[in-house]
Amino acid sequence: MDPMQPLARHHSVFFLILRRLRAPLILLITIMAIAVLGLTFMPGPIVDGEVQYMSFFHAVYFMSYTATTIGFGEVPYAFSDQQRMWVAMCIFMSVFGWTYTLGTVFALLSDRNLRQAIATQRFVRAVRRLREPFYLVCGYGETGRLICHALDRMGLRSVVLEVDEAKVGEIDLHSFAADVPALCADASNPELLGYAGLTHPSCAGVIALTNNDATNLAIAISARLLAPRLPALCRAEHRETSANMASFGTRHIINPFERFGETLALALHAPIASQLLNWLTGLPGSAVDRDRSPPRGHWIVCGHGRFGRWMVNAMDAEALPVTIIDRGMQTDGVHRWVHGDGTGAEALTEAGVAQATGIVAGTNSDVDNLSIAVTARELNPDLFVILRQNQYANQALFQAFESDITVLPSEIVAHECLAILGTPLLAPFLDEIRRQDEAWCAEQLERLTARLGWTVPEIWSERVNLSRAPALYRRLMGGETITLDMVLRSTIDPGEYLECEVLIVERDDDDHLLMPPHDTALRPGDEILLAGTRHARNAFALGIANEHTLEYLVTGEDLPGGWIWRRLSRRKPQTLKPQLP
């Protein structure tokens, strides 16, 4: 039985319409009954000396087309004066009844509850018909839009719950390869999450991206209780919300300010490791600046809100002097505070911008942040500027300024979600990098960039199983030994390697091989994380999936392609016996 079917019954549009039209329908039925009954009792014309009375059938037939203002004449005989008088009265009653009914219908069509019920039932039917895996996206703001477009490019379906009706209407305007079922509703309601497919067999995960932490927490709780096996990716901008989500067992909690705070702390503490992470997690195809690491020295933080606190904590962890500019008069007794907003030269000068090495414009106003950055750069052209961007719509302004680092929370959350969804092995690999020392990171960064350049590569993973790598899996299960060196070779020139590198090999026995050498022997079930070009990705996937390509990589022999040629190639050549003289 469909788990969503009982929920859909509560929003039956048919019964809702019947309830709203109950009084008009009763009135029309009553008028019709009185008119038909009166016609059967009214004496008609005299034919052959007998008074003719209209039968029940003829009375119903006549009133049916008369009530709809369509006239076909008087049947079965010309009416008498009494019948015509009764028909006239019935016409006036019908006009009144239909006027009342049509007015009720027009009011019903403009009723918001009915439109919502129709949209909900259409939405439930669309979700119920889904047979391919889909993700439930709660919140279609800037982050939700980026996530839905990325899922669409990955060939995955998405279902959207959004409380803003205008944003729901925008979904139809965006070019998606597949339809995106969307409903204007509060995603914190567990019943609505059920309508959206939380318990649907094809639901692959829940992504909570609303701008309200309480709503995201409610979604996380509902997902944990109603669908505990589904992965839940939840956005949280307050530490209390993150802790509450973690107590309910939420697998992936994404705080954009905390993520960037960790990134900044790593960049200050281990700049080479930070460059390696930036090279691995940037937008594929973009170039990474080698000299973009934030400098050590005196920093100024403008705005001591949620974002500013994370920035101050990151600098405190490295024992860097920090001056805070904020409109509030509070002080923590540890840092130097300047009252103001940083948009004017007075507050920046008082904070020591001329001697500072970096500044963080981290208020919740894009206009103020741009004003802070422009003023600070005029006072100190060598200043390292970290600029917080709140609205994606202001992208042109922030690109024109060319800050050292621009922090856009929606992009941070979107990239984190896509990394988890697209390459689940990337997150544990990045954690392994953070635990390595600078010398190891420098060696790996030099090796990888020497092979692939400073352009951000594509990151992908392949699992050695029957569905993703059938040719390789069958050979390994047959007892053959195949190493990374074999599958990483180019099919065009066996002496060359593909433009990709293996980052980590994860095995079922929790044996993780970080940056494994090329002579590493593969095993069935291995999951391989790689970085490289798009061409290398396609060639590697072909090599482990196609028997002929893998045979060429392993042995250097090109197998015959057709069935007949394969059979002929298996036949042993006949040896000619010498003839006796």
Side-chain angles (χ1 to χ4, degrees):
M1 183 178 179
D2 190 346
M4 292 191 299
Q5 188 173 1
L7 299 174
R9 291 174 183 169
H10 295 293
H11 286 264
S12 175
V13 178
F14 177 72
F15 289 107
L16 178 60
I17 294 175
L18 286 182
R19 283 196 299 269
R20 297 297 179 85
L21 295 179
R22 179 168 48 194
L25 291 177
I26 291 176
L27 178 61
L28 285 178
I29 293 172
T30 302
I31 293 174
M32 187 71 172
I34 293 174
V36 170
L37 185 62
L39 278 178
T40 58
F41 284 111
M42 288 296 168
I46 299 175
V47 179
D48 298 333
E50 293 183 1
V51 177
Q52 301 295 322
Y53 289 90
M54 185 176 291
S55 66
F56 181 78
F57 171 75
H58 286 103
V60 172
Y61 174 66
F62 177 79
M63 287 306 304
S64 296
Y65 65 69
T66 302
T68 56
T69 69
I70 301 174
F72 291 105
E74 299 170 349
V75 293
Y77 304 104
F79 287 171
S80 63
D81 292 340
Q82 295 92 329
Q83 287 177 321
R84 289 170 178 163
M85 181 181 66
W86 180 253
V87 169
M89 294 176 57
C90 294
I91 290 174
F92 291 126
M93 287 191 299
S94 298
V95 170
F96 172 78
W98 280 107
T99 302
Y100 174 59
T101 302
L102 292 176
T104 306
V105 169
F106 291 146
L108 180 62
L109 293 177
S110 61
D111 184 78
R112 186 177 182 275
N113 293 329
L114 176 65
R115 294 202 307 270
Q116 181 68 16
I118 294 174
T120 301
Q121 191 148 358
R122 187 186 301 116
F123 173 78
V124 171
R125 286 197 302 267
V127 174
R128 188 188 297 126
R129 287 195 296 265
L130 290 175
R131 292 296 177 266
E132 59 270 29
F134 68 89
Y135 285 90
L136 173 54
V137 181
C138 302
Y140 192 75
E142 294 177 357
T143 310
R145 184 171 62 253
L146 293 174
I147 291 292
C148 288
H149 279 285
L151 291 175
D152 189 65
R153 289 193 298 270
M154 295 165 60
L156 297 173
R157 300 290 299 272
S158 55
V159 175
V160 174
L161 283 179
E162 167 60 47
V163 72
D164 189 348
E165 190 173 1
K167 293 180 180 179
V168 174
E170 293 177 2
I171 296 179
D172 294 332
L173 303 178
H174 297 154
S175 55
F176 290 102
D179 292 336
V180 179
L183 180 66
C184 179
D186 184 5
S188 63
N189 188 336
E191 186 179 22
L192 294 174
L193 290 174
Y195 295 157
L198 179 62
T199 56
H200 194 288
S202 298
C203 185
V206 184
I207 308 175
L209 303 173
T210 71
N211 56 3
N212 188 310
D213 271 16
T215 301
N216 293 335
L217 177 60
I219 297 170
I221 295 173
S222 299
R224 181 67 177 86
L225 298 178
L226 299 179
R229 295 184 179 181
L230 288 182
L233 288 73
C234 300
R235 176 177 182 171
E237 295 187 357
H238 295 84
R239 302 186 184 185
E240 298 79 7
T241 307
S242 300
N244 206 342
M245 288 180 179
S247 66
F248 273 91
T250 304
R251 302 181 189 179
H252 305 288
I253 305 170
I254 305 172
N255 185 332
F257 301 144
E258 180 181 6
R259 286 289 187 274
F260 183 76
E262 295 173 353
T263 302
L264 179 61
L266 182 66
L268 294 169
H269 177 72
I272 298 179
S274 177
Q275 282 189 351
L276 179 58
L277 289 177
N278 291 335
W279 184 78
L280 291 170
T281 59
L283 187 64
S286 61
V288 175
D289 188 359
R290 302 188 62 173
D291 301 324
R292 205 182 182 188
S293 300
R296 301 182 66 87
H298 175 233
W299 279 78
I300 300 174
V301 176
C302 299
H304 196 250
R306 289 171 296 159
F307 179 72
R309 291 189 186 97
W310 283 108
M311 299 299 99
V312 172
N313 292 341
M315 295 168 189
D316 287 345
E318 294 301 313
L320 298 180
V322 180
T323 299
I324 301 172
I325 301 178
D326 194 80
R327 291 190 177 96
M329 295 299 295
Q330 75 275 17
T331 134
D332 53 11
V334 177
H335 305 93
R336 182 186 174 207
W337 286 69
V338 174
H339 179 67
D341 56 11
T343 57
E346 296 82 4
L348 291 173
T349 302
E350 184 180 352
V353 67
Q355 296 78 30
T357 58
I359 187 171
V360 178
T363 72
N364 57 4
S365 170
D366 284 352
V367 175
D368 288 349
N369 290 338
L370 286 170
S371 178
I372 293 170
V374 170
T375 306
R377 274 276 173 84
E378 290 178 351
L379 298 175
N380 186 352
D382 299 327
L383 205 61
F384 190 95
V385 177
I386 298 177
L387 190 58
R388 174 183 172 185
Q389 179 182 349
N390 298 281
Q391 300 295 328
Y392 188 81
N394 298 324
Q395 183 73 9
L397 299 177
F398 283 81
Q399 288 179 346
F401 176 73
E402 295 183 354
S403 63
D404 294 286
I405 299 178
T406 300
V407 183
L408 183 57
S410 59
E411 286 191 351
I412 294 176
V413 177
H415 289 165
E416 184 82 9
C417 291
L418 294 175
I420 296 172
L421 298 177
T423 51
L425 194 55
L426 179 60
F429 170 70
L430 297 180
D431 292 337
E432 290 288 343
I433 289 182
R434 294 185 179 97
R435 288 191 283 266
Q436 303 298 324
D437 56 28
E438 281 285 87
W440 184 90
C441 291
E443 178 184 354
Q444 300 303 325
L445 181 63
E446 185 66 26
R447 182 178 67 87
L448 292 173
T449 53
R451 281 268 295 133
L452 305 175
W454 280 92
T455 301
V456 177
E458 287 204 15
I459 308 294
W460 77 96
S461 61
E462 296 287 352
R463 181 173 287 276
V464 183
N465 55 21
L466 197 57
S467 61
R468 298 292 299 272
L472 178 60
Y473 182 79
R474 292 191 186 99
R475 282 178 172 264
L476 294 177
M477 292 298 292
E480 293 189 39
T481 300
I482 299 178
T483 63
L484 287 173
D485 181 84
M486 299 176 182
V487 296
L488 291 175
R489 291 187 178 275
S490 172
T491 57
I492 301 175
D493 185 359
E496 298 292 333
Y497 289 97
L498 297 175
E499 293 184 339
C500 65
E501 289 289 334
V502 177
L503 304 179
I504 190 173
V505 176
E506 185 181 54
R507 290 177 169 166
D508 295 335
D509 56 359
D510 294 333
D511 184 14
H512 307 312
L513 305 179
L514 187 65
M515 301 292 185
H518 278 197
D519 60 355
T520 302
L522 294 172
R523 300 177 186 175
D526 283 353
E527 187 170 5
I528 310 170
L529 183 69
L530 302 101
T533 63
R534 171 72 62 136
H535 174 73
R537 177 176 183 173
N538 296 333
F540 184 83
L542 178 65
I544 61 178
N546 187 274
E547 294 182 5
H548 306 285
T549 306
L550 185 59
E551 176 70 20
Y552 180 73
L553 293 174
V554 173
T555 65
E557 297 181 2
D558 192 4
L559 285 179
W563 178 83
I564 297 177
W565 293 110
R566 289 200 304 268
R567 292 296 299 270
L568 292 175
S569 65
R570 294 194 187 105
R571 297 177 60 182
K572 295 181 179 179
Q574 297 180 355
T575 59
L576 297 177
K577 296 181 180 180
Q579 296 181 357
L580 295 175

